[in-house]
Amino acid sequence: MQLHRRNQHPIGILKNAIYDYFDTNYANKFDKFDDLSPIVSVKENFDDVLVPPDHVSRSYNDTYYIDPQTVLRCHTSAHQAELLSKGYKHFLVTGDVYRRDSIDSTHYPVFHQMEGVRVFRPIDWESSGKDGTTYAAEDLKKCLEGLARHLFGAVEMRWIDTYFPFTDPSFELEIYFKEKWLEVLGCGVTEQEILNRSGNADDVAWAFGLGLERLAMVLFDIPDIRLFWSSDERFTSQFSGGQLGMKFKPFSKYPPCYKDMSFWISESFTENNLCEVIRGVAGDLVEEVTLIDNFTNKKGMTSHCYRITYRSMERSLTDEEINDLQWNVREQVESKLNVVLR
């Protein structure tokens, strides 16, 4: 649906606001890409950004594999090595990314990310009296603090040391917003191995990545991630001005319907695969899937009970409709996940 390329959609509005910041502060410096294919190789998605061979993100339970060597990208970092190898030194990559995940108001199997990379030559830092890594880290923090102020105003911020396979040192930026600390993005100084492989061995670089839905939900007061995909005019018309400061006004909240399902799990069972099956049947009519009970009997068999919340964003659902969905969900879960319904 190319939400990030729509100027009157919250995702596109936020992308353009970030573009404005970089255009204002780094005139004509950053190349922008927002139309790169989400179908990438395992090498591009994982190996090129130094994700370890045994990392959980490589699992079929977490990533959408098209075939053993091809995936739907999990992050926009999948294009980093290729763009560096082609000689790009400052760039922003925006696009749709895909991950198997839980079902609730903030998780969806497709969302949008923006990646930023800036490369420095030795001439950039040698006169500063600092080493390249220190110079890049300080520039990164200055840049991203400015971006946070551009989006959120004069907010309190803090930096958290963290770990990513592709940067060292690595940081998360948090802002104090609406009475709580909110993680805005992850970033760091690019691992030298990535630069070495791409023909930039003498250079240093920084990189950041942020989730557009996560920030847009906060900036526009959007309570449920499914709304971004709605074509209901009561949603879409609210953003026709293309303005960042717009606050979403909820239309009628339709009643939820709860259905519980219990089954004995197998060794191969994962919650992500359960959510994938349920979403495959019910689509955006499923609002949340929650584990509400589990126990293991004397024979060593483990039972899980999940509560499925059905709710449409646009209309009231009928009992008959929900019952049909639930029976279909039960059949699909039993046949696809090798579980025994109780």
Side-chain angles (χ1 to χ4, degrees):
M1 290 176 68
Q2 300 283 304
L3 301 184
H4 61 292
R5 303 183 76 194
R6 297 185 182 186
N7 293 333
Q8 296 178 332
H9 186 281
I11 300 298
I13 294 169
L14 177 55
K15 181 198 78 171
N16 289 334
I18 298 171
Y19 278 5
D20 288 344
Y21 171 77
F22 280 93
D23 288 343
T24 301
N25 292 278
Y26 307 90
N28 300 318
K29 202 153 196 156
F30 279 80
D31 292 295
K32 305 181 188 77
F33 302 89
D34 68 357
D35 59 352
L36 301 178
S37 172
I39 299 172
V40 299
S41 67
V42 167
K43 177 179 180 293
E44 290 168 324
N45 197 71
F46 297 120
D47 301 337
D48 285 352
V49 285
L50 310 183
V51 175
D54 58 351
H55 196 273
V56 64
S57 63
R58 290 180 181 255
S59 162
Y60 278 74
N61 295 324
D62 284 56
T63 293
Y64 289 102
Y65 279 79
I66 295 168
D67 61 44
Q69 297 303 320
T70 315
V71 298
L72 292 176
R73 64 185 169 208
C74 303
H75 46 194
T76 44
S77 307
H79 306 285
Q80 191 181 113
E82 180 188 7
L83 292 172
L84 286 169
S85 296
K86 287 181 175 178
Y88 292 101
K89 302 296 185 184
H90 304 74
F91 53 88
L92 302 171
V93 179
T94 312
D96 37 324
V97 299
Y98 300 80
R99 296 180 193 174
R100 292 175 179 266
D101 217 329
S102 52
I103 296 177
D104 59 35
S105 64
T106 62
H107 291 92
Y108 203 75
V110 52
F111 57 103
H112 297 80
Q113 276 191 345
M114 184 184 289
E115 168 109 351
V117 172
R118 184 178 190 189
V119 178
F120 298 93
R121 306 304 312 271
I123 195 171
D124 295 323
W125 73 81
E126 283 173 346
S127 62
S128 70
K130 300 167 185 169
D131 63 88
T133 299
T134 302
Y135 183 87
E138 289 181 1
D139 184 86
L140 170 67
K141 289 183 175 181
K142 179 183 174 184
C143 171
L144 296 179
E145 286 172 4
L147 176 61
R149 281 190 291 270
H150 177 72
L151 297 176
F152 291 94
V155 290
E156 186 182 351
M157 305 178 212
R158 67 183 183 187
W159 290 96
I160 310 293
D161 291 336
T162 188
Y163 165 78
F164 300 115
F166 25 79
T167 53
D168 183 31
S170 302
F171 315 102
E172 288 174 347
L173 175 61
E174 295 185 348
I175 64 168
Y176 196 68
F177 192 74
K178 293 185 178 177
E179 306 295 306
K180 62 181 180 182
W181 286 102
L182 171 77
E183 180 195 328
V184 176
L185 51 80
C187 62
V189 177
T190 306
E191 281 282 4
Q192 201 59 39
E193 178 66 19
I194 294 173
L195 294 172
N196 294 348
R197 291 180 186 178
S198 61
N200 296 275
D202 296 332
D203 304 336
V204 297
W206 56 241
F208 73 84
L210 55 83
L212 292 174
E213 275 85 348
R214 179 186 181 85
L215 299 188
M217 290 180 79
V218 175
L219 288 163
F220 295 100
D221 284 349
I222 294 172
D224 193 303
I225 198 167
R226 292 175 297 164
L227 280 163
F228 289 114
W229 300 91
S230 175
S231 55
D232 191 313
E233 281 193 2
R234 291 172 296 179
F235 177 77
T236 58
S237 65
Q238 295 193 34
F239 305 98
S240 58
Q243 296 301 311
L244 190 62
M246 176 71 220
K247 298 299 183 187
F248 171 64
K249 298 178 182 65
F251 37 94
S252 303
K253 186 148 188 179
Y254 298 98
C257 179
Y258 304 102
K259 294 288 183 181
D260 293 352
M261 178 172 59
S262 298
F263 46 81
W264 300 105
I265 67 170
S266 62
E267 284 188 6
S268 61
F269 174 80
T270 70
E271 195 168 295
N272 279 359
N273 285 343
L274 171 68
C275 290
E276 195 68 22
V277 171
I278 295 171
R279 215 191 280 274
V281 173
D284 283 1
L285 297 181
V286 59
E287 178 173 276
E288 190 164 23
V289 176
T290 311
L291 179 65
I292 59 172
D293 186 44
N294 70 91
F295 70 90
T296 302
N297 67 11
K298 293 178 181 177
K299 296 179 181 177
M301 297 170 64
T302 299
S303 170
H304 283 188
C305 180
Y306 286 90
R307 177 158 294 161
I308 305 173
T309 306
Y310 295 100
R311 189 203 314 250
S312 169
M313 310 297 294
E314 298 166 2
R315 60 187 174 83
S316 291
L317 300 174
T318 65
D319 288 342
E320 183 180 10
E321 193 175 8
I322 295 297
N323 288 335
D324 285 348
L325 282 173
Q326 184 67 6
W327 277 111
N328 198 350
V329 164
R330 288 173 63 87
E331 289 177 0
Q332 293 285 327
V333 166
E334 189 166 39
S335 65
K336 291 185 175 180
L337 298 185
N338 193 28
V339 302
V340 180
L341 294 174
R342 296 180 59 213

